Amino acid sequence: MSGIETYDLIVVGGGPIGLSTAWHAARRGRMRVLVLDQYGFLHERSGSSGNERHWRVQYTQKDIFSLTLQTRSLWRDLEHLTGRKLIHEIGSLWFGDTEVATNEGHIAGTALAMDEMSVPYEWLAGKEIEKRYGFTNLPKHFEGFLQRDGGVIDVRGTLTALFHLSQEHGALLRGNEAVHEVTPDHDGVTVRTERTTYRAAKVVLGNGAHVNDLITPWGSGKLDIHLYEMALVTLRQRNDSVERPFWFAFQQPTEEDTNLFYGFPSNPWSVSDEVRLGPDFEVGALDHASQATYRPNPRHVERVTGWVRDHMPWIDPQPVATSTCLAVLPGDPARQFYLGTAEQLVPGGENIVVCASGWAFKLIPLFGKICAELALDGATSCDIDRHGLTGLISSTSPAAPPRAESVR
Ligand SMILES: Cc1cc2nc3c(=O)[nH]c(=O)nc-3n(C[C@H](O)[C@H](O)[C@H](O)COP(=O)(O)OP(=O)(O)OC[C@H]3O[C@@H](n4cnc5c(N)ncnc54)[C@H](O)[C@@H]3O)c2cc1C
């Protein structure tokens, strides 16, 4: 093993989880930190493509709710350090059928959780939502809430900030270097890439949709995650003077799909007449991330434009651009994320931390901190019990079947 590069921490994956972990580790000082990405940094072939993500504090599960509240101050630190606003509190509007349970949560249950957590919100009847925000033809029973601290996250701004900060603190970032194998033992971890072999005291797997490629060879199963290539649809708004929040429509599923839609108004950080909508459809699961085509399913784009025609008269239903993003969702919707050490999975697994799946962008500064703590201190004070690396499935299990039921 002499002559090989050695590090205190190697992070596999240079997306937001990987970069945030590298930043939190490197800022401790005297840490040799290496981040490896198969493509590069700030690319669009991952789970972080697109320009914006929904920022919300509310969750149906109170332990995750607490995590988002803890994340707020870390976002402020990041904004302060980078001199750029990353979270824009334009509000988070959830409306629809309040009883539909989705992977995002549940309107009625989340309202109860907000009551218990003393987080303010405004309950709105469907008619009030139509009057205030211009939606039309909403089913009569629709209602929901506006949570004003929610809004939109500047994705590119966040990635750029983490890219620079991690390097300023001394982390080394290497693109175009895929990791092929991660083999732990009780003294550390051997990391084999397409170019060379490294040795590290600790490794964090932040490689998103590809995480099972590195876990399966350990022989104890794979994470129960499903991969969906979800459409992103950019449209143009007609004259608009109303201030609009991020919105998410909770609806009963159709036979065809999960029937969930969401949308962002024009971005506060790059004002234009363009808005982005997406279908949140868990259908057509991929067997492997390499099957991603980066072309949206035309039927899903059509479903979005149909929703616009029916309910959003201030938007021109003709798309101006479309793209995709690779969603990595847990088979068990209650867990939301996999976050923990691999000590139960493989000898030496205490030297490996895994962070994957779920709607995690809002938690990026906190999850990076937790990964660094688990790797470098062996523990975190945050409550992440729900997300530990349990509930693996056999590595020979078939891919997830397309699902169209509502409880996801
Ligand atoms: C359509 C869509 C909408 C979403 N909306 C929201 C939202 O509103 N709010 C929210 O909080 N979250 C949302 N999310 C989730 C959020 O975007 C992701 O949780 C987050 O971006 C994932 O970041 P990551 O760093 O884990 O993974 P990624 O960004 O996928 O990064 C993983 C990196 O690992 C690299 N990699 C993979 N394998 C290897 C290997 N073997 N060797 C080296 N490098 C490797 C990849 O190239 C990639 O750069 C959404 C996701 C999608 C798809």
Side-chain angles (χ1 to χ4, degrees), residues 12-18 36-40 43 45-49 52-55 59 104 153 177-180 206-211 213-214 228 230-232 246 262 264 276 279 325-328 355-364:
V12 183
I17 291 285
L36 296 166
D37 197 285
Q38 62 183 346
Y39 299 134
H43 64 82
R45 284 185 285 174
S46 70
S48 306
S49 49
E52 58 285 287
R53 288 292 184 275
H54 178 203
W55 160 249
Y59 258 90
E104 288 285 335
I153 310 172
E177 186 163 353
V179 173
H180 289 170
N207 59 327
H210 295 263
V211 66
D213 295 352
L214 300 178
Y228 302 97
M230 289 192 180
L232 308 178
F246 167 88
Y262 64 91
F264 296 90
R276 186 176 60 82
C325 185
L326 205 48
V328 185
C355 183
S357 88
W359 307 119
F361 209 95
K362 65 185 77 61
L363 292 156
I364 288 301

Side-chain angles (χ1 to χ4, degrees), residues 212-230:
N212 275 331
D213 295 352
L214 300 178
I215 289 180
T216 306
W218 300 338
S220 46
K222 61 180 182 181
L223 306 187
D224 180 16
I225 53 176
H226 304 167
L227 309 181
Y228 302 97
E229 198 168 14
M230 289 192 180

